[in-house]
């Protein structure tokens, strides 16, 4: 692994355990998961959405990571054993993952518009490329290959099968806007999906901020309790 490979780290105390995740690389990534100072997972993966577990520590639950389509780190989530909802670890301050969270948190509408624009690009770009290739193909003076024609034998016609008269279905008139959407469904749905996913990420980010605040408060209480026990033991010594 090259020493100059980009490094992204996340940290947070979850359910009484100190978690730290390190990721190096942008395509083939090396993922290391540390819990209470112990290395519990060291794995290479090129998956943009890996969900991993520590082979020898099933009680730690699962670690999920997310990367963008360009390989940029987005988040690291720890889901404790027996729970359905995970908690995002805190990205290192100033890191790409932290910058992404700040953008989503500070400008949710702009984030939704950017993601929707990505859905539009996914529709428009293939159409433009197809048009350009078609124009290029028709503009080239292709040589006549002079392939021989193949005489196909005349096949006997199949007998006609009388079909029963089926009752005609009632005509249904759809609203104009619905007809427009159905006619252009292949173009509209990617844009709608991109918008819905973006709004879901915004709501998810707000919920995760609440869970993180709760986790930090629990960690602070635990640390204060340990300090009080230490002071009591020192006073009785």
């Amino acid at each position: 692994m090259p020493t100059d490979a980009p490094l992204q780290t996340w940290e947070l105390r979850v359910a009484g355990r100190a978690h730290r995740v390190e990721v190096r690389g942008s395509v083939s990534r090396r993922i290391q998961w540390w819990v209470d100072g112990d290395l519990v997972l060291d794995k290479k993966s090129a998956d943009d959405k890996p969900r991993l577990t520590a082979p020898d520590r099933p009680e730690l639950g699962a670690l999920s990571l997310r990367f963008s389509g360009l390989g940029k780190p987005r988040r690291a989530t720890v889901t404790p054993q027996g729970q359905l909802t995970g908690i995002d670890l805190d990205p290192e301050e100033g890191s790409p993952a932290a910058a992404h969270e700040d953008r989503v948190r500070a400008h949710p509408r702009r984030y939704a518009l950017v993601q929707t624009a990505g859905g539009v690009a996914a529709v428009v770009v293939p159409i433009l490329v197809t048009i350009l290739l078609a124009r290029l193909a028709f503009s080239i003076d292709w040589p006549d290959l002079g392939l021989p024609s193949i005489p196909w034998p005349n096949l006997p016609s199949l007998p006609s099968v009388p079909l029963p008269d089926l009752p005609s279905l009632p005509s249904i008139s759809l609203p104009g806007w619905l007809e427009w959407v159905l006619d252009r469904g292949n173009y509209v749905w990617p844009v709608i999906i991109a918008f819905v996913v973006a709004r879901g990420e915004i709501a998810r980010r707000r919920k995760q901020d609440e869970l993180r605040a709760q986790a930090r408060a629990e960690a602070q209480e635990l640390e204060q309790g340990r300090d009080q026990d230490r002071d009591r033991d020192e006073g009785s010594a």
Side-chain angles (χ1 to χ4, degrees), residues 33 35 39-42 52-63:
W33 182 13
V35 180
L39 181 62
V40 299
L41 177 71
D42 190 344
L52 310 170
T53 56
D56 301 328
R57 302 287 301 277
E59 74 279 4
L60 298 177
L63 169 67

Side-chain angles (χ1 to χ4, degrees), residues 77-237:
T77 306
V78 170
T79 305
Q81 188 180 41
Q83 296 187 18
L84 298 178
T85 303
I87 300 179
D88 290 353
L89 307 185
D90 284 327
E92 182 182 8
E93 186 175 355
S95 65
H100 172 73
E101 287 191 2
D102 291 341
R103 287 193 298 270
V104 176
R105 189 181 294 112
H107 306 286
R109 292 183 179 178
R110 182 189 303 173
Y111 172 78
L113 289 176
V114 169
Q115 296 302 308
T116 305
V120 174
V123 173
V124 174
V125 171
I127 295 176
L128 294 179
V129 171
T130 302
I131 293 175
L132 291 176
L133 291 178
R135 288 185 176 180
L136 178 62
F138 285 114
S139 65
I140 297 176
D141 187 12
W142 299 100
D144 186 5
L145 300 179
L147 296 177
S149 61
I150 302 175
W152 297 101
N154 293 324
L155 299 177
S157 59
L158 297 176
S160 60
V161 179
L163 296 176
D165 294 333
L166 298 177
S168 59
L169 297 176
S171 60
I172 301 176
S173 60
L174 299 176
W177 66 268
L178 183 56
E179 290 184 355
W180 188 90
V181 170
L182 293 177
D183 290 340
R184 296 163 178 81
N186 292 337
Y187 310 130
V188 174
W189 282 116
V191 179
I192 295 176
I193 291 174
F195 177 78
V196 171
V197 170
R199 297 299 301 178
E201 177 61 21
I202 293 170
R204 182 188 180 282
R205 179 76 275 130
R206 291 170 179 166
K207 179 63 176 178
Q208 284 296 324
D209 286 343
E210 296 176 2
L211 293 176
R212 281 180 180 174
Q214 181 180 352
R216 295 190 193 101
E218 292 175 353
Q220 186 175 7
E221 284 185 21
L222 180 62
E223 190 64 26
Q224 291 176 349
R226 289 175 178 174
D227 291 341
Q228 292 175 358
D229 293 340
R230 189 182 305 112
D231 294 341
R232 187 164 45 252
D233 292 340
E234 292 176 354
S236 60

